[in-house]
RNA sequence: GGGGGCGUAGCCCAAUUGGCAGAGGCAAGGCGCUUAAACCGCCUCCAGUGAGGGUUCGAGUCCCUCCGCCCCUACCA
C-alpha cells in the first residue's frame, strides 16, 4: 500500500518526543483533577503479542482521552518480573534468570512504546529490583508481626512440573497446574500462609461497592463461598464422652440423618475405626491420600452422581434429634479441609448423600415434602417438613431457625458461618522470586530478618534445579547465618514468595516510588488511590484481583497505608481475548501474530484502530485471514484523512451555505457519538462515527461546489482531536503541520458539541398504516402529538391509501413516527 | 450438574425508553483514472435478525420453549 506519508518515521518521531520530553509524566502535587489509569502490569515474556496490543491500546486511549478532558492522569507501567518461565529458561540454557528477564523486559517495553502507549516511566516498578524486594519483604514482616502471616504444616498442592507448591487458586478444578498443566500432587509440608480468611467477610461484602463486570464479581463471590449453618456434636453411641463435630447448612433436615461421614484425614478416624474394619478403612484412606485430586474428584465423567467411595468404620453416633443410632462412614466425598471435616448425612435432601446411600444400601428418610410431580433422588427445594416431629409443617427457613435453637440447647450447637476461601499459601520452592525474610534458629525458632538488613537478596551463583527443593537451600553461603537474636547458628528460609505477592501492591508503589525509606508514603498515595480505571484480562478475575484486595485491606489495618481506601480498584474493565481458530492465541500454540510486523509496515496507528474497530472491547474476537485486510482498511481511513487535511483535490467557495451548515451539524453530532462511545466502552462505534464523518466531509470538500474554508478547517481539526486518543501519531503530525510546532494536538481540550448544532430544522417522520410505512414527512423536531397525527392524516399518500377505510386509532410518537390503525 | 454470555448481509459488526433493520469496515461486482496493474475516486449488490410461540398498534430489542456456539464453575456439607 502506497502511503501519503512515512508511517514508520512519523511514529518514531512522536514516540521519541513523548518519551524524551516526559509528556505524560505527572507529579503528585498536580493541581488538576486526578485520574489513575492502570493496565495490569505484565509478565515480561518478550515482544508484545496481540493481547498486549489490545490491553495497552485501550489503556492508552483512556490516558489520552482523560488528559484531553483536563485531568492529571497517572499512567505508570512496570513489570511483574519474577516467575517461573525465566527460571525454566535459565535451567535450559544456563543463563541467569535476571539476564533473561531484563532482556525480555527490554523487548516488551520497546513493543509497548512502539505501540505509542505513553507512561510515566519515572515510576517504573520491576518486581526483581532490590528496592522493590526490600519493601515486599518489609510487608511480609509486618504481616508476620500482625498475625497475618504464619507458618503451618498443611496438605498442599505440589506441582511436579513446576517443582513447587501452589496456592489453591493456581490449581484447576481437574487437579492440574494453572501454569504447566501437570497433575498436582498432595503433600504435607510446612509452609508460609497469609491469613486472607480473616478478611473473608469484608472481601465478600465490599464486592457490592465495586464498579466491576458482574461476571467477575460473581466469580469472586463464589470463590469466597460463604455459607451459614450450624456446627454441633454427634455423641458416640458407646462412649458419651466423645463426640463427632459436624457442620451443616441444613439443620432442618436433622430428622433425616441416616448416617455420618468423616473425611479420610479426620483426626478421630483411628478412634472411630474398629479392628475388624481397619483394613477397609485403611485402604480407603490410602487411596484418597495418594490419589491426586483429579482421581479423587472425577471418578465419573458426569460430575455429580459419581461413584462415592467409602468404608464403614464400625462406630455409631447418636442423632440428637431422635436419639437414633446411625453408622459412621469414612468417605472421600467429605473434605478434611472444610467445615469440621465431618458431616451428618441426609440422603433425602442432599444429592451426594443420596448417591452414597444408594451405593451402600443406607436408608433414606424424607423430611421435606416433595411436589407431586417431583422425579429424581434427593429433593432440595422448599416445602413443609414431614417425619420431623416438632419441625413438621414448617418451611425451610423457619425449620432451620427452630432446629438451630434445638441444637444449641441439646447438642453443643452453635450457629456458624463457613467459607470456601482458604488461607493463601505463599511459599514457593523456587529461585526467581522474592526471598522470604526469615531465619530459623535452633534456639530462638522463627526469627524475622531485622528491617535494617533488608533486602535479603538471592546470591547469583546458584545452581538451578527443579527437584522440589528450593535452589537456595543448597547454597551454603546464603543458608548459614548467625541468628540476629542470640548470635547462634541459624539457617535462612530458602523459599521465595508467590509472585502474586508482588502484583498485590505494585499499584501503590506506582503512586509514590519517590519517598525514600518507605514502600510508599500514604499521604502521597492518597492523592491517587483508588485506581479510577483498571484494565486487564478476565483470567485474573479471582487470583490477582482477590489477592490485591486483601493486601489493600491488610496494609491499611496494619498501618502501612493509613488513610487509604480499603478497595484498590474502583472500576475494572476486562477486555476480550484475541482468539485464533477458536482457541486462545498463545506462544505455546505457535499461533502468534507478532505486532512488530505491523509496526514496521502499516504502523501502530492502524493496528490500534483495528483493535478498537474490531468489535465491542469486552467481547472476544477472532484473528482471521481477513484481519490483514481489516488493518489495511484502517490504514486507508487514516490516509484519506491525511489527504483531506492536506487539502488534496479540495475546492473552496467563499460564502457559508446550507451544505456547510449540514457539515457543521455532522461534526457536532460526531463529537457526541465518539464521546459517548468512549464513555461506554463502545470504541468500535466511535471509530465508525469518525469514518462516517470523514466520508461526509470528503465528499463535500471535493464536490464541485467545494467547501467553506473555515468550516473545513474546523471539521478536520475536530476529527484530529477525536482521533487523537485512538491513533495518536499521524493526527499529532498533521496538527503540527497545520498549527506549527508550538501547538500540540494532545494538549488540546476534548471537543464539546454545541447543543444548537445537534438539532435539525426538520426531521423525517415515518407514517405507517397498520405497521407498514406508507409515507415519510419532513416535520419540525418539536412537533406535538396532535400536529403529528394531523400532518400524517393530511398527507396525500396517506389519504389515498386510506380511501374507503375507517381510521380506528392513531398512535403518534413524534417526531419519529405515526401509526394509523384502520 | 450449576452460573453467565452470544446467534442481525458472504465476513466483522451498528441499531436511545420496544418505533422506518443498516452507521462503519472487509470481501465481491461495475465504472473512472492508468499503456497496464497497483493505489486512488465513484457506484452497486446482499439479510428481515438461529427456530417456534406469546405480549403489543408496533418486537432484533420484552416473556416462554427449543437449537447451536463460547466462557466460567464444579463433591464446600
Amino acid at each position: 500500500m502506497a502511503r501519503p506519508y512515512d508511517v514508520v518515521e512519523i511514529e518514531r518521531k512522536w514516540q521519541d518526543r513523548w518519551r524524551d520530553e516526559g509528556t505524560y509524566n505527572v507529579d503528585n502535587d498536580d493541581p488538576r483533577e486526578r485520574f489513575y489509569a492502570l493496565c495490569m502490569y505484565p509478565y515480561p515474556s518478550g515482544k508484545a503479542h496481540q493481547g498486549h496490543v489490545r490491553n495497552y491500546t485501550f489503556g492508552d486511549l483512556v490516558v489520552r482521552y482523560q488528559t484531553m478532558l483536563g485531568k492529571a492522569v497517572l499512567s505508570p507501567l512496570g513489570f511483574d518480573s519474577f516467575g517461573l518461565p525465566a527460571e525454566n529458561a535459565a535451567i535450559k540454557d544456563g543463563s541467569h534468570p535476571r539476564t533473561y528477564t531484563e532482556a525480555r523486559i527490554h523487548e516488551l517495553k520497546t513493543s509497548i512504546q512502539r505501540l505509542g502507549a505513553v507512561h510515566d516511566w519515572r515510576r517504573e516498578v520491576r518486581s526483581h529490583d532490590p528496592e522493590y524486594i526490600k519493601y515486599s519483604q518489609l510487608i511480609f514482616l509486618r504481616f508476620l508481626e500482625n498475625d497475618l502471616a504464619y507458618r503451618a504444616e498443611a496438605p498442599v498442592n505440589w506441582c511436579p512440573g513446576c517443582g513447587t507448591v501452589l496456592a489453591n487458586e493456581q490449581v484447576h478444578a481437574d487437579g492440574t497446574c494453572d501454569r504447566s498443566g501437570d497433575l498436582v500432587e498432595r503433600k504435607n509440608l510446612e509452609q508460609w500462609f497469609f491469613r486472607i480468611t480473616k478478611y473473608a467477610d469484608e472481601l465478600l461484602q465490599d464486592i457490592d461497592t465495586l464498579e466491576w463486570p458482574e461476571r467477575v464479581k460473581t466469580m469472586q463471590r463464589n470463590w469466597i463461598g460463604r455459607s451459614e449453618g450450624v456446627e454441633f456434636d454427634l455423641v458416640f453411641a458407646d462412649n458419651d464422652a466423645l463426640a463427632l463435630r459436624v457442620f451443616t447448612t441444613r439443620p432442618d433436615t436433622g430428622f433425616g440423618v441416616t448416617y455420618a461421614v468423616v473425611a479420610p484425614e479426620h483426626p478421630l478416624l483411628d478412634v472411630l475405626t474398629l479392628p475388624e474394619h481397619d483394613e477397609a478403612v485403611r485402604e480407603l484412606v490410602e487411596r484418597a491420600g495418594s490419589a491426586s485430586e483429579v482421581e479423587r474428584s472425577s471418578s465419573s465423567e458426569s460430575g455429580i452422581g459419581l461413584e462415592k467411595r467409602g468404608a464403614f468404620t464400625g462406630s455409631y453416633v447418636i442423632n440428637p434429634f431422635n436419639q437414633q443410632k446411625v453408622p459412621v462412614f469414612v468417605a472421600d466425598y467429605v473434605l478434611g479441609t472444610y467445615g469440621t471435616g465431618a458431616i451428618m448425612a441426609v440422603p433425602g435432601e442432599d444429592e451426594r448423600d443420596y448417591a452414597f446411600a444408594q451405593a451402600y444400601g443406607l436408608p433414606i428418610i424424607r423430611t421435606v415434602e416433595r411436589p407431586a410431580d417431583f422425579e429424581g433422588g434427593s429433593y432440595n427445594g422448599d416445602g413443609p417438613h414431614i417425619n420431623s416431629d416438632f419441625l413438621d409443617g414448617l418451611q425451610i427457613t423457619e425449620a432451620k431457625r427452630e432446629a438451630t435453637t434445638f441444637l444449641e440447647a441439646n447438642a453443643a450447637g452453635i450457629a456458624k458461618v463457613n467459607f470456601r476461601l482458604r488461607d493463601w499459601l505463599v511459599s514457593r520452592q523456587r529461585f526467581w522470586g522474592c526471598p522470604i525474610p526469615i531465619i530459623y534458629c535452633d534456639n530462638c525458632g522463627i526469627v524475622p530478618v531485622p528491617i535494617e538488613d533488608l533486602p535479603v537478596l538471592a546470591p547469583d551463583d546458584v545452581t538451578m534445579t527443579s527437584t522440589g527443593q528450593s535452589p537456595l537451600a543448597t547454597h551454603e553461603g546464603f543458608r548459614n547465618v548467625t541468628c540476629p537474636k542470640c548470635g547462634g547458628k541459624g539457617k535462612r528460609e530458602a523459599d521465595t514468595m508467590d509472585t502474586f505477592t508482588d502484583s498485590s501492591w505494585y499499584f501503590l508503589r506506582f503512586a509514590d516510588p519517590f519517598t525514600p525509606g518507605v514502600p510508599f508514603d500514604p499521604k502521597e498515595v492518597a492523592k491517587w488511590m483508588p485506581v479510577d480505571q483498571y484494565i486487564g484480562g478476565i483470567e485474573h478475575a479471582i487470583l490477582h484481583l482477590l489477592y490485591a484486595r486483601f493486601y489493600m485491606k491488610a496494609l491499611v489495618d496494619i498501618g502501612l497505608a493509613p488513610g487509604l481506601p480499603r478497595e484498590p480498584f474502583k472500576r475494572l474493565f476486562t477486555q476480550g481475548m484475541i482468539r485464533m481458530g477458536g482457541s486462545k492465541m498463545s506462544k505455546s500454540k505457535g499461533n502468534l501474530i507478532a505486532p512488530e510486523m505491523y509496526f514496521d509496515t502499516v504502523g501502530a496507528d492502524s493496528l490500534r484502530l483495528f483493535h478498537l474497530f474490531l468489535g465491542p472491547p469486552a467481547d472476544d474476537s477472532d484473528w482471521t485471514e481477513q484481519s490483514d485486510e481489516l488493518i489495511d482498511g484502517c490504514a486507508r481511513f487514516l490516509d484519506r484523512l491525511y489527504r483531506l487535511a492536506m487539502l488534496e483535490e479540495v475546492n473552496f467557495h467563499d460564502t457559508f451555505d446550507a451544505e456547510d451548515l449540514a457539515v457543521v451539524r455532522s461534526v457536532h453530532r460526531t463529537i457526541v457519538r465518539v464521546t459517548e462511545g468512549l464513555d461506554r466502552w463502545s470504541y468500535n462505534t466511535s471509530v465508525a462515527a469518525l469514518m462516517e464523518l470523514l466520508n461526509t466531509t470528503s465528499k463535500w470538500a471535493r464536490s464541485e461546489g467545494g467547501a467553506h474554508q473555515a468550516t473545513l478547517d474546523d471539521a478536520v481539526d475536530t476529527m484530529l482531536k477525536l482521533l487523537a486518543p485512538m491513533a495518536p501519531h499521524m493526527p499529532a503530525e498533521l496538527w503540527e503541520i497545520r498549527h506549527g510546532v508550538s501547538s500540540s494536538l494532545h494538549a488540546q481540550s476534548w471537543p464539546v458539541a454545541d447543543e444548537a448544532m445537534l438539532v435539525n430544522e426538520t426531521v423525517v417522520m415515518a407514517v405507517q398504516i397498520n405497521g407498514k410505512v406508507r409515507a415519510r414527512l419532513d416535520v419540525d423536531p418539536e412537533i406535538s402529538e396532535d400536529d403529528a397525527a394531523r400532518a400524517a392524516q393530511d398527507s396525500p399518500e396517506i389519504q389515498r391509501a386510506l380511501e374507503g377505510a375507517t381510521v380506528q386509532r392513531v398512535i403518534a410518537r413524534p417526531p419519529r413516527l405515526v401509526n394509523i390503525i384502520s
Side-chain angles (χ1 to χ4, degrees):
Chain A
M1 239 172 98
R3 308 292 293 272
Y5 51 95
D6 187 332
V7 178
V8 175
E9 196 196 304
I10 286 180
E11 294 195 345
R12 192 183 316 114
K13 165 184 164 183
W14 287 96
Q15 287 159 12
D16 289 351
R17 186 173 299 180
W18 295 325
R19 188 188 58 237
D20 297 342
E21 292 182 359
T23 313
Y24 286 84
N25 290 356
V26 64
D27 293 328
N28 284 353
D29 55 8
D30 194 299
R32 291 172 290 178
E33 184 187 343
R34 285 147 196 286
F35 193 95
Y36 189 173
L38 186 64
C39 290
M40 290 179 184
Y41 86 157
Y43 178 80
S45 51
K47 292 189 176 85
H49 52 68
Q50 298 296 341
H52 289 125
V53 168
R54 201 168 169 77
N55 196 183
Y56 297 115
T57 295
F58 297 160
D60 195 54
L61 186 152
V62 170
V63 170
R64 292 178 184 273
Y65 172 51
Q66 293 294 334
T67 301
M68 290 177 81
L69 286 175
K71 297 177 193 169
V73 180
L74 176 59
S75 168
L77 192 66
F79 300 92
D80 189 12
S81 53
F82 274 137
L84 275 178
E87 194 169 338
N88 291 338
I91 291 170
K92 212 165 147 194
D93 68 16
S95 66
H96 192 281
R98 184 185 303 109
T99 320
Y100 175 88
T101 299
E102 291 182 352
R104 300 291 85 73
I105 288 178
H106 179 73
E107 287 174 344
L108 183 52
K109 195 169 169 179
T110 305
S111 285
I112 290 169
Q113 288 179 343
R114 292 197 69 192
L115 181 66
V118 284
H119 298 94
D120 182 348
W121 287 107
R122 300 171 306 166
R123 298 169 185 264
E124 178 177 351
V125 162
R126 309 186 308 173
S127 307
H128 76 286
D129 282 337
E131 187 80 350
Y132 197 75
I133 291 175
K134 176 172 152 187
Y135 294 122
S136 288
Q137 291 172 338
L138 176 84
I139 291 170
F140 178 94
L141 294 177
R142 295 279 185 245
F143 278 7
L144 183 63
E145 281 168 27
N146 288 276
D147 193 35
L148 287 170
Y150 66 94
R151 189 165 169 80
E153 183 176 311
V156 297
N157 310 299
W158 192 78
C159 172
C162 302
T164 182
V165 301
L166 304 170
N168 288 338
E169 286 81 355
Q170 290 153 20
V171 181
H172 291 164
D174 64 358
T176 56
C177 169
D178 184 51
R179 273 261 159 76
S180 68
D182 288 295
L183 266 184
V184 170
E185 297 168 13
R186 305 173 77 224
K187 279 190 171 182
N188 268 318
L189 290 173
E190 274 232 333
Q191 304 282 311
W192 285 97
F193 291 86
F194 282 168
R195 214 178 287 283
I196 189 172
T197 53
K198 184 180 171 191
Y199 289 94
D201 246 323
E202 196 192 335
L203 286 167
L204 182 67
Q205 280 175 23
D206 287 354
I207 290 174
D208 297 340
T209 69
L210 302 173
E211 294 170 50
W212 288 16
E214 216 40 58
R215 202 154 60 114
V216 177
K217 296 209 272 187
T218 303
M219 284 165 75
Q220 290 219 349
R221 285 191 190 103
N222 291 341
W223 186 262
I224 294 168
R226 183 180 198 274
S227 62
E228 289 179 12
V230 190
E231 209 179 280
F232 67 98
D233 281 346
L234 293 169
V235 175
F236 280 40
D238 54 3
N239 179 356
D240 59 13
L242 276 179
L244 184 61
R245 194 89 181 146
V246 297
F247 174 74
T248 183
T249 55
R250 292 293 304 275
D252 58 299
T253 61
F255 286 93
V257 173
T258 56
Y259 61 99
V261 188
V262 298
E265 304 88 352
H266 199 277
L268 284 181
L269 186 56
D270 286 345
V271 183
L272 285 160
T273 307
L274 301 187
E276 62 268 37
H277 298 280
D278 203 44
E279 201 184 318
V281 168
R282 188 172 318 173
E283 195 184 315
L284 187 279
V285 169
E286 263 171 33
R287 191 169 50 179
S290 68
S292 63
E293 286 288 333
V294 75
E295 283 167 312
R296 190 166 163 185
S297 65
S298 60
S299 44
S300 138
E301 44 279 86
S302 64
I304 294 289
L306 44 78
E307 178 200 344
K308 305 287 185 207
R309 288 166 305 189
F312 179 43
T313 61
S315 293
Y316 292 83
V317 291
I318 305 292
N319 178 354
F321 285 93
N322 54 16
Q323 303 305 313
Q324 297 282 309
K325 255 172 71 169
V326 297
V328 180
F329 281 75
V330 56
D332 56 10
Y333 81 95
V334 171
L335 307 174
T337 48
Y338 185 77
T340 61
I343 61 159
M344 64 175 216
V346 190
E349 280 81 34
D350 182 284
E351 61 183 321
R352 295 150 303 177
D353 297 344
Y354 184 89
F356 190 83
Q358 291 271 297
Y360 288 82
L362 294 156
I364 296 164
I365 301 171
R366 303 284 177 176
T367 59
V368 180
E369 191 169 308
R370 293 164 291 171
D373 58 350
F374 180 78
E375 284 170 25
S378 61
Y379 171 69
N380 57 16
D382 207 350
H385 280 61
I386 51 173
N387 303 321
S388 295
D389 197 289
F390 63 93
L391 300 176
D392 280 349
L394 300 180
Q395 301 291 116
I396 289 180
T397 312
E398 256 176 283
K400 270 188 185 174
R401 197 162 41 231
E402 294 294 315
T404 303
T405 308
F406 174 82
L407 288 170
E408 283 170 348
N410 298 290
I414 183 164
K416 207 174 166 197
V417 175
N418 267 325
F419 292 92
R420 207 186 90 115
L421 181 71
R422 303 298 144 80
D423 276 338
W424 174 13
L425 169 55
V426 296
S427 300
R428 295 291 180 274
Q429 289 73 50
R430 296 308 305 237
F431 171 77
W432 193 235
C434 177
I436 295 175
I438 289 293
I439 291 164
Y440 300 99
C441 168
D442 292 342
N443 305 318
C444 315
I446 294 174
V447 180
V449 172
I451 303 288
E452 58 272 21
D453 292 349
L454 298 182
V456 174
L457 298 176
D460 280 350
D461 55 336
V462 173
T463 318
M464 307 293 161
T465 53
S466 56
T467 57
Q469 202 187 24
S470 296
L472 286 175
T474 55
H475 191 286
E476 296 301 320
F478 175 78
R479 271 243 95 181
N480 298 319
V481 286
T482 43
C483 170
K485 238 184 196 168
C486 70
K489 276 190 179 162
K491 277 201 181 297
R492 273 191 202 285
E493 166 69 66
D495 289 353
T496 52
M497 281 191 252
D498 182 0
T499 55
F500 277 106
T501 60
D502 303 311
S503 50
S504 289
W505 71 280
Y506 76 103
F507 45 88
L508 297 169
R509 180 77 181 166
F510 276 155
D512 176 34
F514 306 121
T515 307
V518 289
F520 49 83
D521 179 343
K523 283 196 301 293
E524 294 299 308
V525 175
K527 295 172 178 171
W528 297 108
M529 288 294 287
V531 173
D532 293 283
Q533 184 63 64
Y534 200 30
I535 306 174
I538 186 85
E539 66 271 20
H540 292 111
I542 296 173
L543 295 166
H544 160 59
L545 289 169
L546 189 65
Y547 293 146
R549 295 181 60 218
F550 157 66
Y551 252 66
M552 195 70 233
K553 293 171 191 303
L555 290 172
V556 171
D557 284 344
I558 66 180
L560 271 173
L564 293 182
R566 299 181 70 83
E567 283 292 339
F569 314 122
K570 189 163 99 189
R571 270 200 303 274
L572 171 72
F573 182 82
T574 50
Q575 92 256 7
M577 262 178 7
I578 296 289
R579 286 176 316 216
M580 187 149 179
S583 63
K584 190 177 172 174
M585 207 188 246
S586 74
K587 200 182 251 177
S588 59
K589 292 205 173 64
N591 59 2
L592 288 185
I593 305 290
E596 303 281 332
M597 190 173 95
Y598 296 94
F599 297 156
D600 292 337
T601 52
V602 292
D605 278 346
S606 298
L607 186 62
R608 288 170 64 126
L609 221 42
F610 161 78
H611 277 279
L612 294 170
F613 189 49
L614 190 55
D619 291 3
D620 287 351
S621 303
D622 290 299
W623 190 281
T624 66
E625 323 77 56
Q626 215 188 41
S627 295
D628 280 345
E629 284 161 350
L630 299 178
I631 294 169
D632 285 345
C634 292
R636 207 146 41 221
F637 161 70
L638 292 171
D639 293 351
R640 290 175 61 212
L641 175 58
Y642 187 90
R643 290 196 203 93
L644 178 69
M646 299 302 276
L647 309 180
E648 279 181 25
E649 299 172 47
V650 167
N651 305 315
F652 289 113
H653 62 245
D654 294 331
T655 52
F656 183 83
D657 64 19
E659 274 187 69
D660 300 322
L661 178 62
V663 168
V664 172
R665 288 207 164 103
S666 296
V667 169
H668 286 267
R669 264 199 306 275
T670 304
I671 292 172
V672 172
R673 287 171 63 192
V674 171
T675 307
E676 279 178 358
L678 298 196
D679 287 339
R680 61 185 178 104
W681 296 94
S682 176
Y683 299 154
N684 49 331
T685 57
S686 289
V687 176
L690 269 177
M691 288 174 165
E692 195 181 339
L693 179 60
L694 178 62
N695 289 344
T696 311
T697 313
S698 301
K699 247 175 234 175
W700 157 75
R702 290 175 178 182
S703 65
E704 261 176 61
H708 181 250
Q709 180 147 16
T711 303
L712 176 61
D713 281 342
D714 187 62
V716 169
D717 281 350
T718 304
M719 281 191 272
L720 295 179
K721 288 186 215 168
L722 294 176
L723 190 58
M726 308 184 203
H729 306 88
M730 184 279 280
E733 179 69 14
L734 268 180
W735 188 271
E736 190 177 86
I737 293 170
R738 292 163 61 82
H739 297 275
V741 283
S742 57
S743 178
S744 160
L745 170 64
H746 292 283
Q748 302 302 307
S749 294
W750 188 251
V752 177
D754 178 353
E755 290 291 330
M757 288 298 148
L758 296 178
V759 282
N760 284 334
E761 270 132 32
T762 62
V763 293
V764 177
M765 182 176 77
V767 182
Q768 300 178 330
I769 295 176
N770 297 328
K772 277 192 168 170
V773 179
R774 290 301 177 81
R776 287 172 226 277
L777 308 175
D778 286 334
V779 300
D780 186 288
E782 303 289 317
I783 191 169
S784 73
E785 232 174 88
D786 288 347
D787 290 347
R790 199 169 310 122
Q793 291 175 88
D794 287 351
S795 87
E797 297 108 302
I798 296 301
Q799 295 214 329
R800 213 174 308 127
L802 279 176
E803 218 148 286
T806 351
V807 174
Q808 305 198 339
R809 204 176 147 192
V810 178
I811 294 134
R813 290 285 176 277
R816 308 196 67 153
L817 67 64
V818 172
N819 190 9
I820 297 166
I821 314 303
S822 69

